[in-house]
Amino acid sequence: MGTLKKRIMMNSGCGIPAAGFGTWQSEPEKTAASVCKAIECGFRHIDTASLYLNEAEVGEGVRMALEKTGLSREEIFVTTKLWNTDRGYGRTLRAFEASLNALGLDYIDLYLIHWPAVPAQYECWRQLNAETWKAMEKLVDDGLVRSIGVSNFMPYHLEPLMESARIIPAVNQIEYHPGWIQPECVDFCRSHGMVVEAWSPLAGGDALKCATLVEMASRYGCSVSQLVLNWVASNGIIPLSKSVTPSRIEENSRSFDFELSDEDRAAISSLKGVGGKCRLPDTVTY
Ligand SMILES: NC(=O)c1ccc[n+]([C@@H]2O[C@H](COP(=O)([O-])OP(=O)(O)OC[C@H]3O[C@@H](n4cnc5c(N)ncnc54)[C@H](OP(=O)(O)O)[C@@H]3O)[C@@H](O)[C@H]2O)c1
């Protein structure tokens, strides 16, 4: 439970809960209830995006949970993301307003550029991301967003962005799970003071079938999901697990009350071919 509530300090001066709850592909009719359940189970950090078409349901789930638990808005950390086709100064401001309205909130804790989205059709991606970032900085200045960051940015996407940035990204949310740990990107982010978040920490469910992980989980007396989420957090990376199944949400919330040996942590880090998307960001051009 400690990890769910523990906050990691970001370069923005705000704290971010050390584990979060994802909502990609959550069916709209299940989203509000699953977000509410996650918060009741101790999650304090909810991840959505305009692309997921469920910001309204995520906002509804947060409000349901605040009413049920008596928590205040400040105790919940909400992230949403700007979609590729909404990049550019004016478009970003308009897309943000739409996200804020859909969520029904007064401010967002963390706003991310979803993908660097480089050519084919975005030949001027450096300039587009720089203009987008200026708008994100304005949202911080206006008090509508507490922290800003990126997602799926590799060092060669981050370097040009940081050349014109006034605010260094607080977070980079990347694909990270057994078999896909992107060490160069993680090292680069850390050396520039960015917190790393793990999307698809369970490799979208594929990690749960890995024989090495199944055997190791039985030794610890935990589920494979708990083992993997514990491993991500123990590497200092924020796992964003997704589930719409109440028993799994509860199970995942109990992932952080045991300690992996250094040997087992290293063994998980060296696994290969576990599944997941293993997506190269430059292949996402839509
Ligand atoms: N920035 C990006 O580009 C990006 C990309 C992808 C994802 N994300 C974020 O990262 C979050 C997590 O990624 P993800 O949704 O791809 O995958 P994930 O959390 O790695 O896996 C989710 C899948 O595992 C199942 N699952 C969860 N807990 C389980 C358990 N204890 N036992 C058995 N099955 C379990 C879920 O099923 P049920 O839901 O049916 O229970 C779902 O099918 C997303 O929701 C989203 O917020 C961001």
Side-chain angles (χ1 to χ4, degrees), residues 7-17 45 77 79 109-110 112 146-149 168-172 193-197 238:
R7 286 191 175 228
I8 298 171
M9 187 54 73
M10 294 180 286
N11 61 18
S12 59
C14 301
I16 180 168
H45 174 169
F77 188 100
T79 301
D109 293 279
L110 179 64
L112 305 178
R146 299 267 156 101
S147 306
I148 50 178
I168 297 299
V171 161
N172 191 6
M194 295 169 215
V195 173
V196 179
E197 296 184 330
I238 298 178

Side-chain angles (χ1 to χ4, degrees), residues 72-175:
S72 65
R73 163 70 182 93
E74 284 66 36
E75 290 172 274
I76 311 294
F77 188 100
V78 178
T79 301
T80 193
K81 312 184 193 88
L82 177 83
W83 186 241
N84 302 343
T85 47
D86 290 326
R87 287 175 305 157
Y89 189 84
R91 282 207 185 99
T92 298
L93 297 179
R94 287 192 290 280
F96 175 78
E97 198 181 348
S99 285
L100 192 66
N101 287 339
L103 282 156
L105 299 174
D106 298 335
Y107 68 91
I108 302 294
D109 293 279
L110 179 64
Y111 197 37
L112 305 178
I113 304 181
H114 207 142
W115 292 91
V118 306
Q121 74 264 51
Y122 294 123
E123 277 176 38
C124 52
W125 61 272
R126 287 181 190 79
Q127 193 190 336
L128 198 51
N129 287 340
E131 286 167 9
T132 301
W133 195 251
K134 287 238 173 315
M136 311 263 287
E137 291 174 332
K138 176 176 163 45
L139 293 170
V140 174
D141 294 343
D142 292 349
L144 294 168
V145 174
R146 299 267 156 101
S147 306
I148 50 178
V150 295
S151 178
N152 300 300
F153 274 52
M154 298 295 110
Y156 60 92
H157 303 120
L158 278 162
E159 272 164 348
L161 186 78
M162 289 192 302
E163 271 170 29
S164 60
R166 182 165 52 81
I167 301 176
I168 297 299
V171 161
N172 191 6
Q173 182 181 125
I174 59 172
E175 184 174 1

Side-chain angles (χ1 to χ4, degrees), residues 231-252:
W231 163 80
V232 175
S234 73
N235 288 337
I237 292 179
I238 298 178
L240 301 169
S241 57
K242 173 262 175 185
S243 176
V244 291
T245 313
S247 60
R248 291 175 175 174
I249 297 170
E250 204 164 341
E251 177 186 325
N252 294 347

Side-chain angles (χ1 to χ4, degrees), residues 31-32 48 53-61 63 99 101-104:
T31 302
T48 184
L53 300 175
N54 62 12
E55 289 169 311
E57 290 80 5
V58 167
E60 188 190 336
R63 281 187 294 282
S99 285
N101 287 339
L103 282 156

Side-chain angles (χ1 to χ4, degrees), residues 268-285:
I268 299 176
S269 298
S270 68
L271 286 172
K272 301 264 180 287
V274 175
K277 299 235 177 293
C278 306
R279 183 164 270 172
L280 300 173
D282 291 357
T283 63
V284 176
T285 54

